[in-house]
């Protein structure tokens, strides 16, 4: 069986190199809206999505993420846009809900010609005092916590070849 969605799922790859050119507003909005259509537990729509293109704020996010990672390299691979996903940790499904949002946005990015890469450490970075201060600058309510992020932009280079799927990845029991 094949269709456009299944094809996009098979073709999407993570990119770790981006052109400096900023993405178009309509492309960004398409990606963000796709995130809003992700399923969430009880339909609560708990996640909050924040796209950052402001260079000063991006540098703060990059610096804090690199600090948590223990590096001085840019964990966002110089992507022109950073998309952060937050949720309220008092909601037991906040990580699952936010993860689905991130997955939807990655697929949408692929279908509109953008590259993306899931970036980790947002849980840890937004628990730090400087992360809490950064959340204030991003106008994120204090009851939220980080879940994950995307590096987002026009990919530089060709996607890597997909690794073969392992033989016993799924099972059907009838």
């Amino acid at each position: 069986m094949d269709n456009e969605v299944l094809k996009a799922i098979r073709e999407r790859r993570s990119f770790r190199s981006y052109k400096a050119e900023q993405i178009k507003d309509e492309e960004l909005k398409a990606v963000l809206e796709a995130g809003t259509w992700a399923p969430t537990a009880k339909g609560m729509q708990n996640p909050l999505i924040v796209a950052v293109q402001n260079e000063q704020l991006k540098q703060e996010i990059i610096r804090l993420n690199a600090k948590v990672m223990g590096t001085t390299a840019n964990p966002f691979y110089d992507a022109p846009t950073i998309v952060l996903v937050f949720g309220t940790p008092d909601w037991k499904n906040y990580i699952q809900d936010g993860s689905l949002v991130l997955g939807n946005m990655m697929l949408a990015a692929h279908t509109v010609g953008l590259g993306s890469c899931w970036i980790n450490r947002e849980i840890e970075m937004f628990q730090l005092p400087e992360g809490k201060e950064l959340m204030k600058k991003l106008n994120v309510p204090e009851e939220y916590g980080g879940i994950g992020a995307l590096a987002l932009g026009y990919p530089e280079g060709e996607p890597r070849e997909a690794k073969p799927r392992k033989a016993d990845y799924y099972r059907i029991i009838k």
Side-chain angles (χ1 to χ4, degrees), residues 144-169:
Y144 280 81
I147 297 172
L150 294 181
L152 189 64
Y154 298 116
E156 184 75 62
E158 294 299 315
R160 293 182 184 183
E161 189 71 28
K163 293 180 181 178
R165 304 295 94 172
K166 63 183 182 179
D168 62 345
Y169 214 145

Side-chain angles (χ1 to χ4, degrees), residues 5-165:
V5 173
L6 295 173
K7 184 175 184 276
I9 289 169
R10 285 191 305 271
E11 291 178 354
R12 190 216 60 80
R13 297 288 174 273
S14 293
F15 281 87
R16 291 172 179 82
S17 183
Y18 299 91
K19 295 178 182 176
E21 176 186 355
Q22 188 54 267
I23 63 176
K24 294 178 179 74
D25 287 348
E26 64 264 18
E27 294 165 336
L28 176 59
K29 289 176 183 174
V31 170
L32 299 176
E33 185 174 344
T36 72
W37 287 101
T40 60
K42 295 190 176 184
M44 289 189 59
Q45 301 177 38
N46 180 268
L48 174 64
I49 306 164
V50 179
V52 180
Q53 295 179 325
N54 174 283
E55 196 57 40
Q56 181 181 343
L57 290 172
K58 279 178 39 187
Q59 290 307 314
E60 289 186 49
I61 293 164
I62 290 164
R63 183 191 55 74
L64 189 54
N65 194 291
K67 176 182 174 182
V68 172
M69 188 178 182
T71 186
T72 57
N74 182 339
F76 291 89
Y77 307 105
D78 298 318
T81 299
I82 295 173
V83 180
L84 302 165
V85 176
F86 298 89
T88 55
D90 64 341
W91 174 237
K92 64 182 178 180
N93 294 305
Y94 87 107
I95 292 176
Q96 294 89 332
D97 289 352
S99 296
L100 287 165
V101 167
L102 287 155
N104 265 26
M105 291 191 298
M106 292 173 77
L107 282 171
H110 169 72
T111 65
V112 299
L114 298 174
S116 66
C117 186
W118 183 308
I119 309 298
N120 290 304
R121 295 166 296 281
E122 282 65 33
I123 293 173
E124 298 86 354
M125 66 186 266
F126 289 111
Q127 290 174 344
L128 297 171
E130 55 204 301
K132 297 288 184 191
E133 286 302 312
L134 181 54
M135 285 175 60
K136 288 178 187 175
K137 292 178 185 178
L138 298 170
N139 200 26
V140 175
E142 64 183 34
E143 67 267 18
Y144 280 81
I147 297 172
L150 294 181
L152 189 64
Y154 298 116
E156 184 75 62
E158 294 299 315
R160 293 182 184 183
E161 189 71 28
K163 293 180 181 178
R165 304 295 94 172

